[in-house]
Amino acid sequence: MPIICLEGASAVGKTTTCTTIANIGNTYVVPEVNLLFERPKNMSKTWYLERQVERWKIAKRKLCEYDFVILDGDIFQPLCYNWCFHFEIFNQSLTFLHEFYESEIKVGNILFPDKYFYLHTSTDNIRSRKENDQTRQRGNFEKHIRIIEPHQRYYEVLNQFVPHIVQLVEASNMEHNVKVIMDNVPLEPLCKDSEGLLNHITDWLTNSKA
């Protein structure tokens, strides 16, 4: 019973795809942090990271009840987002992030998903979908638009360290998204060594510019 993750740019269709899959099968969706938890007024430096760990724990518990679980957004997202914004916005250095995730992996509190599906489409399509979606407020949307290229590049490079752990899905329409994902859900984890993958990612982020 796998845990998969859907990723991609804001407004590309991750949440809608997750919901559609859940509606047609025995699947549980773990929402992103901002939809699942209420942010405290005095948020600690590790609050967001700790909530990602909690999302993983929810996913693991739900595997007992469902055929598979989908993470709507990456539990390791802070690595990518901080890098995309040159570690200047969220006050979290790469060393800080690495040490947090490494300690949680060592005690078994979090692991990498069994597989990522990365949804992508043109910037024009993303803007159009954002404008036509009245169900959600998307803060800092223009900032997210500016990091589309490095964000996708980050996920593509994961395949260098764990072959096929990330599958790109051209998000042309919902039927296509669902078919590609359902046809390619892995039978077993593709990543056998989460600590090793974290180390590879950290080295790559250290030596690569967004």
Side-chain angles (χ1 to χ4, degrees):
M1 293 182 288
I3 299 175
I4 65 172
C5 176
L6 264 61
E7 256 300 341
S10 178
V12 76
K14 297 186 296 295
T15 299
T16 305
T17 302
C18 287
T19 302
T20 302
I21 292 174
N23 287 338
I24 63 175
N26 188 33
T27 304
Y28 186 85
V29 177
V30 182
E32 62 184 68
V33 167
N34 294 332
L35 296 179
L36 192 57
F37 305 100
E38 183 177 352
R39 286 178 180 260
K41 290 183 178 179
N42 298 312
M43 191 171 67
S44 70
K45 190 174 181 180
T46 58
W47 181 87
Y48 191 83
L49 299 172
E50 290 163 356
R51 301 293 75 74
Q52 298 289 12
V53 172
E54 183 59 29
R55 291 178 69 224
W56 177 255
K57 291 179 178 180
I58 292 170
K60 292 291 287 184
R61 290 197 299 269
K62 293 299 181 180
L63 278 181
C64 298
E65 307 171 41
Y66 294 85
D67 292 337
F68 67 97
V69 175
I70 305 177
L71 293 161
D72 184 359
D74 191 5
I75 50 177
F76 290 88
Q77 179 210 58
L79 288 167
C80 176
Y81 266 71
N82 276 276
W83 173 72
C84 284
F85 291 112
H86 311 290
F87 298 96
E88 296 173 351
I89 295 181
F90 304 108
N91 192 31
Q92 295 171 331
S93 69
L94 180 56
T95 298
F96 172 80
L97 293 169
H98 177 89
E99 290 177 351
F100 176 88
Y101 279 119
E102 183 180 50
S103 64
E104 296 295 324
I105 288 172
K106 284 181 181 294
V107 296
N109 284 340
I110 195 170
L111 296 172
F112 279 90
D114 298 328
K115 186 171 181 175
Y116 289 95
F117 291 91
Y118 190 93
L119 275 58
H120 66 96
T121 187
S122 69
T123 302
D124 287 343
N125 282 341
I126 288 174
R127 288 187 184 280
S128 175
R129 292 174 187 183
K130 188 263 185 183
E131 292 169 1
N132 291 324
D133 183 3
Q134 303 301 317
T135 64
R136 292 182 60 183
Q137 295 289 328
R138 298 184 184 273
N140 299 314
F141 180 74
E142 289 303 319
K143 285 185 178 179
H144 288 118
I145 285 290
R146 291 199 293 272
I147 66 165
I148 284 178
E149 187 277 330
H151 188 261
Q152 181 171 331
R153 178 157 42 97
Y154 168 88
Y155 284 96
E156 289 177 332
V157 84
L158 298 190
N159 285 329
Q160 295 182 17
F161 310 127
V162 179
H164 313 299
I165 193 171
V166 179
Q167 181 169 344
L168 269 63
V169 180
E170 186 175 357
S172 54
N173 59 70
M174 193 54 54
E175 182 179 18
H176 172 75
N177 293 355
V178 172
K179 178 173 173 42
V180 171
I181 293 167
M182 295 299 291
D183 285 350
N184 291 280
V185 172
L187 298 177
E188 60 181 25
L190 294 173
C191 178
K192 310 294 187 181
D193 179 10
S194 284
E195 187 176 351
L197 178 54
L198 176 66
N199 290 335
H200 282 307
I201 291 171
T202 301
D203 289 343
W204 185 82
L205 293 174
T206 299
N207 295 298
S208 304
K209 291 184 179 181

